[in-house]
Each structure stands twice: as C-alpha cells, then as structure tokens.
Amino acid sequence: MTRVLVTGAKGQLGSDLKELSVHLQNIKFTFIDIDELDITSTEAISDFFSGQVFDYLINSAAYTAVDKAESDKETAFQVNAEAINSLISVIRKSQTKFIHISTDYVFSGDHNIPYTEDFQVNPQSTYGKSKLKGEEYVLQYENGMIIRTAWLYSSYGQNFVKSILKKGREKEELKVVNDQLGSPTYSGHLAKAILDIINKDMDNSIPFKPEIFHFTNAGVCSWFDFALKIKELAYLPCRILPVSTEQYPLPAKRPAYSVLSKEKIISKYKINIPDWKTGLKDCLGKLGELR
Ligand SMILES: NC(=O)c1ccc[n+]([C@@H]2O[C@H](COP(=O)([O-])OP(=O)(O)OC[C@H]3O[C@@H](n4cnc5c(N)ncnc54)[C@H](OP(=O)(O)O)[C@@H]3O)[C@@H](O)[C@H]2O)c1
C-alpha cells in the first residue's frame, strides 16, 4: 500500500489533507505535527525515519507568522529552510517523493501580470527569504516538487476569513487594505489538487517530476474585496472601509501584486481550479456561516 507522510498536520493545509484522506482507501496516511516530530531537530528526524519508509512526504509544516519572522529570523530559517534540508537528507536514501509547499512571498510583488513558475524570485520579507531558501534545498533533490500558493485560509486554524467573521460581529467598522492584489485560496481546494497529483503518479497517468507549480483559487481581488465578500455571504453587520497599505503599517513588507499564474498546473494535470468566491462559499458553508 502507498504510504504518505504529512507534516504540519494540525495546520490549515494539514487539517484539510487529513479530512480528504479518509476518501483514499488505497493510501496509508501518517499525519504528524511538532508534537510528534519537530522538523528542526535532525536527531528527531533521524529517529522518526529509522525503520519507516514513505512513498510521498507532503511538507505542510512551516513557520507562517509573517510579521513575527521579522524579529525571529533564526526560527523562521530553521523551520522553513534548514529543516527542509534535514528532511531531504534523510528521505533521499529511500527516494521518497517530496511535495513541498511554498509561497507567493518569494516574489517581489511589484509586477503586474501573473507570476509564472520561472519568474525571477526576489523576496522582500524574512518569511519570503526563509521560504526561498527552503525551495533551494528542494530544487537540489531529484524527487522534490514545489507547489507555491497564496492567501491561504481554511475552516481550520486562524486566518483572514475567521478574523473578519469575528471582528465583523464585534466592531461597527473595519478597515481593510485595498492596494494589495492576490487570489484567496481555500486550503481544501489546494489539498485536493495535491492528492490529485499523488493519485495521478500512483496510476502512472502523470508521473511525478521535480518541478515547481503554482496553485491558488482562480480570480483576483484585494483584501478589501475579499472582506466585502465575506461580509456579504455571512451577513456581517459592520461597515468595511478601504485603506492603503501605508495607512496600515506592519513589520513585514507585503507584495502589492501577488497573483500566481496557474497555467502550468492546469495544463499538466487538467485540474479544474474553482474561483476564489467558490472557495470562500465552501469554507463558510463548512463553518456554518453561509447565510
Ligand atoms: N497561510 C498562508 O496564507 C500561506 C500563504 C502562502 C503559502 N503558505 C504555505 O502553505 C503551507 C501551509 O500553510 P498553513 O497556512 O497550513 O500553515 P499553518 O496553519 O501555520 O500550519 C503549519 C503547521 O506547521 C507546524 N510547525 C511549525 N513549526 C514546526 C516544526 N518545527 N516542526 C513541525 N511542525 C511545525 C505548525 O505548528 P504550530 O502551529 O504549533 O507552530 C502548524 O501546525 C506552508 O508551507 C506555508 O508557508 C501559506
């Protein structure tokens, strides 16, 4: 039976992968998070993998606190970069296929057409730089695939959608930036695409290759547009006002334009990528928030 290991199992993507995994009876999944394996410990990694071999490793573990990373650079690089090197050095022996999740933050964000996989990287934040270093390790592995995503949210964990739902009921007015553009991505849809890639490798219809892909939901909006849609679908009583990034300073610089081109993954895997509004409806439906 095919064995798949998922790290970061309690995170947004890890939780959605776990939920979908119950439909795949032909795969034996192992889900772990930091309690079972701290991926920054080389000793723990070597203990964990001794006597265990996996066909695929989906790495959804990451240091995702983008602002905190500015003052905690060391941890961000340990989790997002050095740990990737350690994982790969152990799984290389068994040629485990490694699916690593990365981010739009590897790009500068000053472009104005969707970023393709081969576009020049130029991260502007510590988080982005740490994720790029992680990518560099994956690219040195002959069985490593990178899937970059953006603006990820889920019915699990903490994220923009949940924060708007909460604040939108507590406050009369919310200010949300309207000069950063991207594609909100429902993690349930990303999880499905990843499992699709594994399934197609398993049945040999599309063999796994060490490549970079981009996956987000379709369509483009600003955080302000996204918040307005959440308000509309969940009937939030608050007013939502647009503000500029300048009016809402944060420790980490955000890309102004974060749109990733999905043409490569669509063309290779023939997947249907739902629009971001569909992703939002799916997530709100699961949260029981769709009015
Ligand atoms: N969230 C986004 O908007 C976004 C956007 C673009 C790309 N991505 C990428 O997508 C992937 C999945 O993101 P996500 O939002 O699902 O992340 P998440 O919810 O933050 O989950 C990450 C998981 O990794 C765990 N983790 C942290 N340090 C670890 C360690 N040393 N050893 C083992 N596990 C550790 C976390 O545990 P703790 O919670 O205990 O720290 C958490 O359960 C990540 O690679 C991320 O960089 C995310």
Side-chain angles (χ1 to χ4, degrees):
M1 192 182 260
T2 302
R3 294 144 302 178
V4 176
L5 176 67
V6 179
T7 56
K10 291 183 184 157
Q12 302 193 87
L13 176 60
S15 300
D16 277 311
L17 283 164
K18 193 168 191 177
E19 191 179 310
L20 291 181
S21 70
V22 298
H23 304 296
L24 299 171
Q25 304 295 337
N26 52 340
I27 299 178
K28 180 179 184 301
F29 283 92
T30 304
F31 289 92
I32 54 168
D33 207 289
I34 192 162
D35 305 341
E36 292 84 15
L37 172 64
D38 178 348
I39 60 168
T40 63
S41 161
T42 47
E43 204 185 346
I45 290 180
S46 105
D47 284 353
F48 180 84
F49 283 93
S50 75
Q52 289 202 84
V53 171
F54 298 92
D55 300 291
Y56 302 87
L57 195 176
I58 306 171
N59 181 41
S60 52
Y63 182 103
T64 55
V66 173
D67 289 313
K68 203 169 152 210
E70 293 304 317
S71 53
D72 191 10
K73 190 173 170 183
E74 199 183 331
T75 316
F77 270 81
Q78 274 173 2
V79 181
N80 292 341
E82 296 318 311
I84 311 310
N85 192 26
S86 308
L87 283 170
I88 289 172
S89 64
V90 170
I91 61 171
R92 190 184 286 277
K93 291 173 219 128
S94 49
Q95 287 292 296
T96 298
K97 292 167 181 166
F98 188 59
I99 300 179
H100 178 68
I101 314 305
S102 193
T103 171
D104 53 319
Y105 279 45
V106 298
F107 296 115
S108 70
D110 50 19
H111 207 42
N112 56 10
I113 54 166
Y115 286 100
T116 54
E117 286 77 357
D118 55 1
F119 195 88
Q120 180 68 51
V121 287
N122 183 14
Q124 300 294 303
S125 61
T126 299
Y127 168 75
K129 287 174 188 163
S130 68
K131 292 293 290 185
L132 177 61
K133 184 76 191 157
E135 285 194 2
E136 285 165 11
Y137 287 126
V138 180
L139 292 173
Q140 288 167 23
Y141 179 41
E142 59 278 15
N143 264 325
M145 178 185 285
I146 294 166
I147 303 179
R148 294 187 187 127
T149 189
W151 293 28
L152 201 63
Y153 65 92
S154 166
S155 60
Y156 300 98
Q158 272 317 309
N159 51 57
F160 182 81
V161 174
K162 287 197 177 172
S163 152
I164 294 292
L165 287 171
K166 183 167 183 290
K167 289 185 193 156
R169 295 212 170 90
E170 288 169 358
K171 298 187 175 183
E172 282 186 8
E173 189 176 286
L174 294 182
K175 291 179 177 157
V176 184
V177 292
N178 73 340
D179 55 359
Q180 292 169 28
L181 296 179
S183 309
T185 303
Y186 175 44
S187 142
H189 293 167
L190 172 61
K192 185 173 176 300
I194 294 170
L195 296 175
D196 234 46
I197 288 174
I198 291 181
N199 263 320
K200 285 171 177 159
D201 183 51
M202 282 169 61
D203 70 13
N204 253 322
S205 56
I206 307 178
F208 183 100
K209 276 199 185 158
E211 288 181 88
I212 303 179
F213 291 103
H214 289 170
F215 181 96
T216 64
N217 276 122
V220 178
C221 67
S222 70
W223 289 109
F224 170 70
D225 301 327
F226 191 23
L228 274 187
K229 199 71 194 169
I230 298 166
K231 169 184 154 76
E232 179 197 318
L233 293 173
Y235 278 93
L236 300 178
C238 67
R239 280 189 306 280
I240 301 188
L241 303 176
V243 290
S244 68
T245 302
E246 249 179 23
Q247 291 171 280
Y248 196 79
L250 288 168
K253 191 175 174 204
R254 263 65 177 176
Y257 183 85
S258 249
V259 183
L260 302 178
S261 164
K262 275 85 64 186
E263 276 176 32
K264 185 175 172 190
I265 199 165
I266 292 171
S267 136
K268 175 149 184 177
Y269 285 100
K270 314 282 175 246
I271 51 173
N272 170 35
I273 301 190
D275 187 80
W276 68 266
K277 291 173 195 150
T278 306
L280 180 58
K281 280 182 198 158
D282 287 358
C283 180
L284 292 178
K286 264 187 78 185
L287 289 169
E289 291 278 5
L290 207 52
R291 304 285 174 232

